[in-house]
Amino acid sequence: EAQVTQNPRYLITVTGKKLTVTCSQNMNHEYMSWYRQDPGLGLRQIYYSMNVEVTDKGDVPEGYKVSRKEKRNFPLILESPSPNQTSLYFCASSLTGQAQETQYFGPGTRLLVL
Amino acid sequence: AQTVTQSQPEMSVQEAETVTLSCTYDTSENNYYLFWYKQPPSRQMILVIRQEAYKQQNATENRFSVNFQKAAKSFSLKISDSQLGDTAMYFCAFKGKGAQKLVFGQGTRLTINP
């Protein structure tokens, strides 16, 4: 089944404790992206990647890192999480990132930073 | 920069009624794509319908249709014969032809009452 998976689905952590949210897709997609969803703000892009070893900042990249060492994986790293990073996070992918392509979203990761 | 505005934070209708969700956007581009996504309580992001700006004909998908007014930069979603399973958060989104991200509105929480 074609899908985007994220782990963990729920995470409670404390300020400053490094964490990684994994994202994997099995559709051989070149384009992958991370969004965060906050009430009243919709979804905002954090980082995106056009292909292996090619990443770039989105609208809200501060406090986040990403890497793209393999085509299928695009982990989101919070080196020193803070309470303002409490949010719902989505990974998404599409074939090449063109506007007309359907973006496939993962199931979401709910993060609480205490 | 593109912006997407959903002016109705919440809506509520009775089952079987027709409901229209509003969306306006701002862009200087001439070719772009517009989307409606559904987010049920499971938090999964589900693509409902897509519209290409160059196509004058409004997109339809079963009970879902859009009213695309390019000059007014308006993209409303009509749900006919609403069902309990339509209860969800609905997001309007924009993507420019060369853009690397979806720009989302704030969302409209729709409740279908039995």
Side-chain angles (χ1 to χ4, degrees), chain B residues 3-113:
Chain B
T3 58
V4 176
T5 302
Q6 294 178 248
S7 59
Q8 304 152 311
E10 295 188 17
M11 296 187 72
S12 178
V13 298
Q14 296 299 119
E15 192 176 8
E17 289 183 347
T18 294
V19 58
T20 299
L21 281 58
S22 301
C23 173
T24 58
Y25 59 94
D26 188 25
T27 183
S28 58
E29 297 186 38
N30 197 40
N31 194 13
Y32 47 86
Y33 289 78
L34 294 160
F35 307 84
W36 278 98
Y37 281 87
K38 171 185 178 180
Q39 187 180 52
S42 66
R43 301 201 309 267
Q44 183 69 45
M45 292 291 286
I46 302 166
L47 179 63
V48 174
I49 201 164
R50 173 200 349 239
Q51 175 80 42
E52 183 175 0
Y54 262 105
K55 292 187 177 178
Q56 294 188 352
Q57 186 174 6
N58 289 325
T60 63
E61 289 286 345
N62 300 313
R63 298 183 294 107
F64 298 86
S65 62
V66 299
N67 183 3
F68 173 48
Q69 302 286 331
K70 191 173 183 179
K73 295 179 182 173
S74 171
F75 183 60
S76 61
L77 175 69
K78 186 172 84 170
I79 305 174
S80 303
D81 186 26
S82 58
Q83 300 174 359
L84 296 179
D86 295 333
T87 292
M89 180 76 86
Y90 287 81
F91 290 99
C92 178
F94 169 102
K95 194 168 192 213
K97 194 159 175 66
Q100 303 307 329
K101 67 181 180 186
L102 284 163
V103 178
F104 285 87
Q106 302 90 331
T108 296
R109 186 174 299 280
L110 175 65
T111 301
I112 309 298
N113 298 306

Side-chain angles (χ1 to χ4, degrees), chain A residues 23-103:
Chain A
C23 172
S24 182
Q25 49 90 7
N26 62 0
M27 296 169 279
N28 201 36
H29 285 171
E30 293 181 355
Y31 175 89
M32 298 184 75
S33 181
W34 277 102
Y35 292 85
R36 61 177 287 173
Q37 180 181 343
D38 302 290
L41 297 177
L43 283 78
R44 294 174 293 165
Q45 191 185 56
I46 303 170
Y47 269 95
Y48 67 93
S49 170
M50 297 299 292
N51 214 325
V52 176
E53 302 293 359
V54 180
T55 63
D56 209 345
K57 296 177 181 178
D59 292 327
V60 288
E62 294 77 20
Y64 305 95
K65 285 176 58 178
V66 293
S67 69
R68 188 91 182 271
K69 293 183 171 54
E70 304 167 282
K71 198 172 189 178
R72 63 183 293 125
N73 296 323
F74 189 45
L76 179 69
I77 304 156
L78 285 70
E79 295 261 354
S80 182
S82 62
N84 65 11
Q85 293 179 297
T86 291
S87 188
L88 177 59
Y89 291 87
F90 286 99
C91 181
S93 74
S94 69
L95 189 60
T96 63
Q98 294 187 54
Q100 68 271 24
E101 295 170 357
T102 297
Q103 286 209 22

